[in-house]
């Protein structure tokens, strides 16, 4: 039978050769024999097993066969008749919900130029007036749905999102009260998270966030000059001077009173500053625990969109920060570059995703009016509504969304080594770019593959120099503020 | 395992599974032969497994993108790598508006 190498990536670190299997997500170190066999299987003809062994030198036959079998076991080599696994049928019963993202308001007190909620890339139909704030009643109905649909999950997350989330603090307070009560009744633990632009963080709000152990993500784009380029008030005035003291107060309170680490989220646009400098500013000077970067989502024509040269610069910036991260990890210190931290966590667990993210699986978004959508970014897109909190999730629409988003449907991804962790990328981004949430994000592949390759190399280097560090990925990642949602606010 | 050393958790789990039940653990995987006009001749399927046309080789809109993105088939479609990067700019969603894809004049 003919056997061939399955999609994988081999890479070097510290003088050793490793392989990452796109079929299983396994990372292994290869010895010389297995390298030879894998290379042979990677030729177009593959090997005709077991006949190929007849031509192997007698003394090598046994070890080559053994290496071959091990490679098959890891998913690095497969027979040509291996039943091709296409989209697994989705389980008949509904998926348990774990995370609910409540868009408590669609209003914002800033008007950032790149915002997908309000800018040129927004999905909502602007001709229809929408409730600007979620009512307490809608929030309670949403939470009831979360509890009822959470199955056996014991840990639930409620994330508040906007607009500027804190413009509707009343509903947030009511929701926290209600979820904590229902949590006690049902024996489930509920944790809270929110994303904010920090303009409204006053003392009382901060005390509330600390008391209920909120995971807070703050949208801030770096030092004043970078931040104020896009993150402006309606008057056009930058927001940095207003937010900085408030952020400092929040960080101090969280740290002093045992709150959760606070993450900064930086949106990268054309003309962005040097990443390492931005990191240094936010982590060392301002005091954020972790800093995550995300390129702006937009159609490519927008003036703030990242052109190709900037993507290269971005990769160089990520590489420089990754070096710092690895150096820290080798000394057993935590570095706050959260993009890499999250990637290493996925590589360590060996995730192999059928869907790029939890949207419509364990997570759904709810609009101010109570409509359910696959995630927070799709709320207010009429084309993506999947039910209403009063009547429940429309399972048929949900299943359709998931079927179309399954990586098996994304033909170019089949031959891509980055597939286990990318799986085609963000549905929302795909929708903005290609008008189809089920499309793979082909404009980003080069970048994703380079980034995955960088992650693998960092992973192997840490494993070689300080394997104990990787234990911190055994449980849920501690550093990242989960779920790390970016803010349109 | 004598030749591969499991590094991450998934690799360790697969190695363990092989010890526990030799032969039973199998890595399930997706097809990884590239699809497309030149390698697979799909004689007129009308819908793909999701009921749409997106995953098909046959319909014209699918072929256009398959050649363009995954097979790099410069003889048939404009080359998007160097000369015509925005060749499909007028066409946001191939399934709906493939007919808007522009001509190019090299
Ligand atoms: S979208 Fe691109 S990078 Fe991601 S899995 Fe598919 S082919 Fe690979
Ligand atoms: S990755 Fe995209 S689609 Fe998935 S939850 Fe995030 S924003 Fe939504």
């Amino acid at each position: 039978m003919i056997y061939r190498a399955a999609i994988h990536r081999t890479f070097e670190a510290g003088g050793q050769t490793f392989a990452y299997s796109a079929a299983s997500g396994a990372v292994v170190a290869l010895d010389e024999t297995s390298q030879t066999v894998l290379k042979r299987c990677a030729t177009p003809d593959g090997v005709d097993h077991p006949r190929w062994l007849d031509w192997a030198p007698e003394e090598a036959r046994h070890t080559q066969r053994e290496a071959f079998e091990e490679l098959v076991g890891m998913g690095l080599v497969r027979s040509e008749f291996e039943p091709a696994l296409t989209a697994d049928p989705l389980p008949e019963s509904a998926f348990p919900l774990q995370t609910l993202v409540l868009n408590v308001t669609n209003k914002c007190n800033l008007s950032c130029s790149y915002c997908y909620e309000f800018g040129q890339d927004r999905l909502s139909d602007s001709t229809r007036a929408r409730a600007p704030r979620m009512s307490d009643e809608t929030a309670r109905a949403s939470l009831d749905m979360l509890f009822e649909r959470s199955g056996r999950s014991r840990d639930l997350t409620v994330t508040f999102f906007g607009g500027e989330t804190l413009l509707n603090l009343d509903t947030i307070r009511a929701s926290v009260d209600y979820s904590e009560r229902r949590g006690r009744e049902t024996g489930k633990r509920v944790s809270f998270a929110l994303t904010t632009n920090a303009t409204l963080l006053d003392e009382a709000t901060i005390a509330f966030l600390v008391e209920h152990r909120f995971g807070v993500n703050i949208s801030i784009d770096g030092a004043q000059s970078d931040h104020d380029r896009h993150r402006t008030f309606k008057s056009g005035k930058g927001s940095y001077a207003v937010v900085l003291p408030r952020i400092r107060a929040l960080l101090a309170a969280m740290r002093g009173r045992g709150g959760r680490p606070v993450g900064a989220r930086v949106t990268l646009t054309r003309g962005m500053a040097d990443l390492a400098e931005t990191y240094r500013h936010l982590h060392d000077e301002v005091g954020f625990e972790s800093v995550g970067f995300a390129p702006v989502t937009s159609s490519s024509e927008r003036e703030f969109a990242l052109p190709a040269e900037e993507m290269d610069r971005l990769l160089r910036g990520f590489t420089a920060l990754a070096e710092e991260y690895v150096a820290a990890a080798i000394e057993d210190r935590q570095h706050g570059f959260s993009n890499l931290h999250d990637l290493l966590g996925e590589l360590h667990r060996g995730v192999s995703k059928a869907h790029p993210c939890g949207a419509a699986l364990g997570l759904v978004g709810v609009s101010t009016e109570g409509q359910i959508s696959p995630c927070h970014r799709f709320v207010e897109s009429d084309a993506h509504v999947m039910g209403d909190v009063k009547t429940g999730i429309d399972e048929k629409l949900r299943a359709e969304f998931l079927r179309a988003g399954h990586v098996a449907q994304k033909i170019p991804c089949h031959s891509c080594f980055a597939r286990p962790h990318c799986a085609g990328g963000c549905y929302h981004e795909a929708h903005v770019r290609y008008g189809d949430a089920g499309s793979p994000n082909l404009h980003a592949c080069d970048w994703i593959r380079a980034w995955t390759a960088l992650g693998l190399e960092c992973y192997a280097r840490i494993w070689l120099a300080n394997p104990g560090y990787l234990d911190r990925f055994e449980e849920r990642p501690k550093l990242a503020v989960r779920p790390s949602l970016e803010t349109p606010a | 395992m004598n030749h591969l050393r499991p590094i991450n958790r998934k690799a360790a789990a697969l190695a363990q599974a092989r010890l526990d039940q030799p032969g039973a653990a199998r890595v399930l995987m997706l097809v990884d032969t590239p699809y497309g006009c030149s390698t697979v001749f799909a004689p007129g399927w009308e819908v793909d497994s999701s009921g749409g046309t997106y995953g098909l080789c046959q319909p014209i809109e699918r072929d256009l993108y398959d050649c363009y993105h995954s097979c790099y088939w410069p003889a048939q479609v404009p080359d998007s790598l160097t000369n015509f990067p925005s060749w499909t700019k007028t066409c946001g969603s191939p399934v709906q508006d493939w007919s808007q894809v522009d001509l190019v004049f090299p």
Side-chain angles (χ1 to χ4, degrees):
Chain A
M1 202 186 322
I2 305 294
Y3 280 76
R4 290 197 183 84
I7 300 299
H8 69 282
R9 180 178 175 85
T10 49
F11 58 101
E12 311 274 324
Q16 283 201 48
T17 303
F18 297 83
Y20 174 57
S21 156
S24 64
V27 180
V28 291
L30 302 172
D31 73 353
E32 257 172 49
T33 314
S34 51
Q35 283 176 53
T36 315
V37 176
L38 182 57
K39 252 189 222 135
R40 216 170 137 178
C41 294
T43 55
D45 290 342
V47 301
D48 186 359
H49 190 71
R51 277 171 45 202
W52 66 285
L53 288 163
D54 298 345
W55 285 280
E58 177 123 31
E59 65 288 357
R61 217 166 277 164
H62 172 70
T63 52
Q64 294 208 349
R65 169 190 280 272
E66 206 176 48
F68 175 85
E69 280 163 3
E70 292 180 13
L71 288 165
V72 173
M74 278 297 156
L76 286 160
V77 168
R78 62 192 282 263
S79 94
E80 65 180 333
F81 297 119
E82 180 85 27
L85 180 84
T86 46
D88 275 333
L90 298 165
E92 291 293 319
S93 61
F95 292 98
L97 276 185
Q98 261 169 334
T99 302
L100 194 66
V101 187
L102 297 179
N103 269 52
V104 287
T105 176
N106 52 26
K107 291 288 167 229
C108 190
N109 54 350
L110 293 186
S111 50
C112 306
S113 46
Y114 50 60
C115 181
Y116 57 78
E117 276 272 289
F118 300 101
Q120 293 148 306
D121 291 317
R122 73 149 152 238
L123 301 183
S124 69
D125 169 7
S126 51
T127 56
R128 179 161 96 64
R130 289 172 197 265
R133 292 152 62 92
M134 180 181 280
S135 66
D136 294 1
E137 192 198 348
T138 303
R140 272 195 298 270
S142 314
L143 293 164
D144 283 337
M145 175 181 80
L146 172 66
F147 277 94
E148 271 150 36
R149 297 292 306 275
S150 59
R152 274 174 297 166
S153 314
R154 299 184 50 84
D155 290 303
L156 307 181
T157 303
V158 178
T159 297
F160 301 98
F161 203 68
E164 169 42 36
T165 324
L166 294 177
L167 283 172
N168 192 1
L169 187 59
D170 293 345
T171 299
I172 299 180
R173 285 181 186 274
S175 309
V176 167
D177 265 0
Y178 188 67
S179 340
E180 287 180 344
R181 203 179 79 220
R182 297 256 356 221
R184 279 192 298 275
E185 287 163 10
T186 52
K188 297 186 188 250
R189 261 192 310 258
V190 189
S191 51
F192 304 102
L194 66 75
T195 301
T196 173
N197 63 25
T199 50
L200 299 172
L201 284 173
D202 56 21
E203 225 170 276
T205 308
I206 291 176
F208 167 74
L209 297 178
V210 175
E211 183 191 339
H212 297 280
R213 296 191 46 77
F214 267 76
V216 181
N217 247 326
I218 300 215
S219 306
I220 179 168
D221 286 354
Q224 180 148 24
S225 52
D226 302 305
H227 183 86
D228 286 348
R229 274 196 313 144
H230 294 289
R231 305 194 59 82
T232 56
F233 288 100
K234 298 206 165 71
S235 64
K237 195 171 138 282
S239 57
Y240 186 87
V242 172
V243 299
L244 189 68
R246 292 167 196 261
I247 293 172
R248 291 220 150 108
L250 173 75
L251 291 170
M254 283 285 188
R255 210 161 279 150
R257 292 180 251 156
R260 279 164 61 189
V262 179
R265 186 183 187 284
V266 179
T267 301
L268 300 169
T269 47
R270 182 191 289 252
M272 65 200 167
D274 180 65
L275 257 49
E277 264 167 43
T278 302
Y279 176 85
R280 200 115 309 125
H281 176 73
L282 295 174
H283 184 269
D284 303 358
E285 286 163 34
V286 181
F288 281 104
E289 232 76 27
S290 70
V291 182
F293 298 90
V296 68
T297 293
S298 81
S299 353
S300 47
E301 311 83 89
R302 305 280 178 256
E303 44 87 15
F304 47 78
L306 285 177
E309 322 78 80
E310 292 271 271
M311 292 307 277
D312 291 347
R313 197 154 77 80
L314 185 61
L315 187 62
R316 285 198 299 279
F318 270 33
T319 310
L321 282 173
E323 275 306 314
E324 286 183 18
Y325 183 104
V326 172
I330 290 174
E331 291 169 15
D332 224 25
R333 279 186 297 112
Q334 181 68 62
H335 186 276
F337 181 25
S338 63
N339 301 70
L340 184 62
H341 189 79
D342 292 348
L343 174 58
L344 293 177
E346 291 201 344
L347 293 177
H348 180 71
R349 292 186 294 277
V351 296
S352 179
K353 296 176 190 162
H355 292 93
C357 62
L361 278 165
L363 173 158
V364 292
V366 181
S367 75
T368 50
E369 294 172 346
Q371 285 173 327
I372 302 167
S373 59
C375 81
H376 56 291
R377 283 208 189 185
F378 285 105
V379 301
E380 310 215 336
S381 161
D382 289 335
H384 296 96
V385 173
M386 303 190 318
D388 184 285
V389 289
K390 287 195 204 73
T391 52
I393 298 180
D394 182 328
E395 288 302 335
K396 220 178 119 230
L397 292 177
R398 186 196 207 187
E400 255 164 47
F401 182 86
L402 289 172
R403 208 173 306 125
H406 194 290
V407 66
Q409 305 291 347
K410 303 174 183 174
I411 307 302
C413 305
H414 290 199
S415 50
C416 173
F417 82 88
R419 178 182 82 213
H421 99 95
C422 171
C426 171
Y427 302 121
H428 174 262
E429 172 112 15
H431 180 75
V432 169
R433 287 270 178 163
Y434 306 105
D436 175 5
S439 164
N441 280 288
L442 295 167
H443 59 282
C445 296
D446 288 348
W447 153 256
I448 297 284
R449 293 192 195 115
W451 170 235
T452 310
L454 179 65
L456 284 167
E457 197 198 303
C458 294
Y459 181 70
R461 282 170 59 197
I462 296 172
W463 177 77
L464 286 167
N466 181 17
Y469 178 87
L470 301 173
D471 290 346
R472 59 186 86 194
F473 295 115
E474 288 293 330
E475 289 309 314
R476 294 182 71 185
K478 290 184 199 125
L479 173 75
V481 178
R482 292 259 158 218
S484 64
L485 299 178
E486 67 284 55
T487 181
Chain B
M1 294 244 148
N2 294 328
H3 303 280
L4 306 183
R5 177 146 176 214
I7 307 292
N8 67 353
R9 208 160 78 184
K10 178 65 75 63
L14 286 171
Q16 189 57 43
R18 261 167 60 87
L19 288 182
D20 294 346
Q21 279 176 296
R26 208 161 49 82
V27 175
L28 295 177
M29 52 187 93
L30 295 159
V31 227
D32 40 38
T33 15
Y35 277 54
C37 40
S38 54
T39 49
V40 174
F41 293 96
W45 300 338
E46 260 109 35
V47 288
D48 62 15
S49 58
S50 71
T53 54
Y54 181 77
L56 292 189
C57 184
Q58 277 301 40
I60 172 69
E61 69 270 23
R62 173 64 216 161
D63 263 4
L64 274 173
Y65 264 44
D66 217 13
C67 301
Y68 165 49
H69 284 303
S70 49
C71 316
Y72 185 57
W73 200 242
Q76 291 183 352
V77 298
D79 117 52
S80 60
L81 292 178
T82 40
N83 296 317
F84 305 102
S86 49
W87 166 65
T88 53
K89 225 172 89 187
T90 47
C91 167
S93 159
V95 175
Q96 280 144 32
D97 44 33
W98 58 270
S99 59
Q100 289 173 24
V101 171
D102 246 339
L103 299 174
V104 301
F105 299 96

